[in-house]
Amino acid sequence: PLGLRVQGSADLGHMKAILDRFMEVDDYSLLSELTVQGTSRFDTLAHGTYLEPLLDGGISLTRGRMNLRGYQGAEDIQADLVLKDRTITIPEDRPVHGTLAHGELKASGSIAWRPGGLDTYALKAQLSNFQLRDVPDGLDLQGTLEANLTGTEEGGVLRGRLRADRISYQSEVKLSDLILRSALSDSGGLAGLDLDDPLERIRLDLELDLRTPWSFDTNLLKLEGRTDGPFQVLGTLGHPVPKGTMVFQAGGRVTNIFPAGDMVVDRGSLSFSELRALDPIINMQGSVSSIPGYTVNLDIRGTLSNLSIVPSSTPSLRQDEIVAILINPGNVANVGTAGGSSG
């Protein structure tokens, strides 16, 4: 039988190394990917047997920091952990407090361990007023997350509600690269994921509540809009995937596509599917009115990898003539001038 009582304080990193040895954490466990810093106070009793170890007592963390495989982690962590046999509990009346992504983190719940690493976990968390920038590059997301994280060593699910106070995207986009990526994107939900990455083991099931219009400001599109109906964030923590429909507000612009000038958006939408996140369904109507004597109306439908553009004009022109003046407004002198609107 095993019976060893240990009390005192220690560097949090040293304390974790000791616990890793006691729990026989292997190299493939999520716990092995976790690095910690700070100070700890502990009063613990190791019991059971050497083959079936158990641990009772408590550990307090102050000024802690936690990182998972080098990703941005939590800071200023204050926590009181209760140990009983093979369960680590964070009481709901004494939750973990800390800072993550510039927001206030609060969490409670339990973690069960076994020799080798994690067994199961069930955590309730709230991250208030966080801000994520450039994850991915160009994205600015601000809001509050309320979610439950449950799972095992093999993987888990983060399920809850994301209240987004601001979503904006600002970047330079190469149209050729975007179309190629859309055309080559695999329809398999897990295709291309690095399952050794701990963030890829956590699936997402989040309801998005968008409080203000989203904005999209690139060299090709300058748009604002809102969600239409239920909107979810699925995929994994490493690769979030939107699912739902976003509608455009009138007045947005499609730029640097047509030599004749910008297309002003009248209405439209983007519909995202979990299976083809890089290839949303586009439905957009707008007009180019910078061509002397003509207004060209464009109806754009399909996906980036299979896009259909149907032009019409006022006064009426044949479609080949419309294309000619979109490519070179100087061709206005060489096209017909019949009234009406082409179909």
Side-chain angles (χ1 to χ4, degrees):
L2 179 63
L4 177 63
R5 190 173 201 91
V6 182
Q7 297 174 308
S9 61
D11 175 84
L12 195 53
H14 296 161
M15 184 68 179
K16 181 179 182 295
I18 294 171
L19 291 175
D20 283 353
R21 290 290 298 274
F22 179 79
M23 294 188 291
E24 300 177 356
V25 173
D26 62 46
D27 292 339
Y28 298 99
S29 170
L30 282 175
L31 289 177
S32 70
E33 307 264 15
L34 182 68
T35 59
V36 296
Q37 297 176 332
T39 58
S40 64
R41 295 190 60 83
F42 53 89
D43 181 356
T44 59
L45 171 65
H47 62 108
T49 67
Y50 288 99
L51 294 178
E52 296 291 336
L54 303 171
L55 192 62
D56 292 352
I59 301 176
S60 297
L61 315 179
T62 57
R63 299 188 300 277
R65 296 186 63 177
M66 293 186 181
N67 292 82
L68 192 61
R69 206 195 224 192
Y71 288 105
Q72 180 181 9
E75 301 177 338
D76 301 323
I77 298 172
Q78 310 287 329
D80 293 307
L81 310 181
V82 178
L83 313 178
K84 179 62 178 175
D85 294 336
R86 290 188 176 170
T87 301
I88 303 171
T89 301
I90 307 167
E92 193 166 358
D93 60 348
R94 287 177 290 151
V96 169
H97 288 274
T99 301
L100 177 63
H102 308 289
E104 180 184 352
L105 175 65
K106 184 169 66 174
S108 61
S110 64
I111 301 170
W113 61 273
R114 54 175 171 74
L118 288 175
D119 188 7
T120 62
Y121 51 88
L123 301 171
K124 177 182 179 181
Q126 178 175 307
L127 181 59
S128 303
N129 302 315
F130 71 87
Q131 181 173 11
L132 282 177
R133 283 186 173 175
D134 294 323
V135 184
D137 288 346
L139 179 68
D140 183 0
L141 172 61
Q142 301 175 27
T144 294
L145 172 67
E146 296 179 353
N148 294 314
L149 175 61
T150 58
T152 67
E153 179 71 79
E154 285 71 33
V157 179
L158 182 67
R159 181 177 286 112
R161 178 171 173 266
L162 173 60
R163 189 196 74 200
D165 298 321
R166 170 184 168 86
I167 298 180
S168 65
Y169 182 80
Q170 186 171 10
S171 183
E172 292 291 310
V173 178
K174 289 186 66 174
L175 182 60
S176 57
D177 290 351
L178 189 60
I179 293 175
L180 182 62
R181 287 173 58 197
S182 300
L184 297 179
S185 63
D186 197 300
S187 60
L190 291 175
L193 299 186
D194 176 9
L195 297 182
D196 288 332
D197 187 331
L199 297 194
E200 300 294 5
R201 302 189 209 177
I202 306 299
R203 305 288 296 182
L204 297 178
D205 184 3
L206 301 176
E207 175 190 348
L208 178 65
D209 177 11
L210 184 59
R211 296 300 180 93
T212 60
W214 54 264
S215 68
F216 197 87
D217 185 2
T218 74
N219 52 310
L220 301 178
L221 298 172
K222 300 184 183 300
L223 301 169
E224 289 189 349
R226 293 184 177 274
T227 56
D228 183 23
F231 200 93
Q232 294 174 284
V233 181
L234 304 175
T236 70
L237 269 177
H239 289 86
V241 172
K243 181 181 179 182
T245 300
M246 288 190 168
V247 295
F248 307 137
Q249 293 185 341
R253 291 180 176 268
V254 179
T255 67
N256 297 316
I257 300 292
F258 306 110
D262 293 354
M263 168 182 158
V264 178
V265 176
D266 296 326
R267 61 189 179 276
S269 65
L270 281 178
S271 296
F272 293 91
S273 164
E274 183 182 9
L275 296 181
R276 297 189 67 86
L278 295 177
D279 209 13
I281 297 174
I282 302 170
N283 182 354
M284 182 187 300
Q285 292 79 45
S287 61
V288 178
S289 57
S290 54
I291 304 170
Y294 292 92
T295 296
V296 174
N297 303 304
L298 297 170
D299 187 352
I300 303 174
R301 299 175 186 271
T303 65
L304 282 174
S305 60
N306 186 22
L307 204 58
S308 170
I309 302 178
V310 178
S312 60
S313 70
T314 305
S316 176
L317 294 174
R318 300 192 310 270
Q319 288 200 2
D320 62 314
E321 293 177 315
I322 298 173
V323 172
I325 62 175
L326 280 174
I327 295 174
N328 182 3
N331 288 324
V332 165
N334 304 318
V335 299
T337 59
S341 175
S342 68

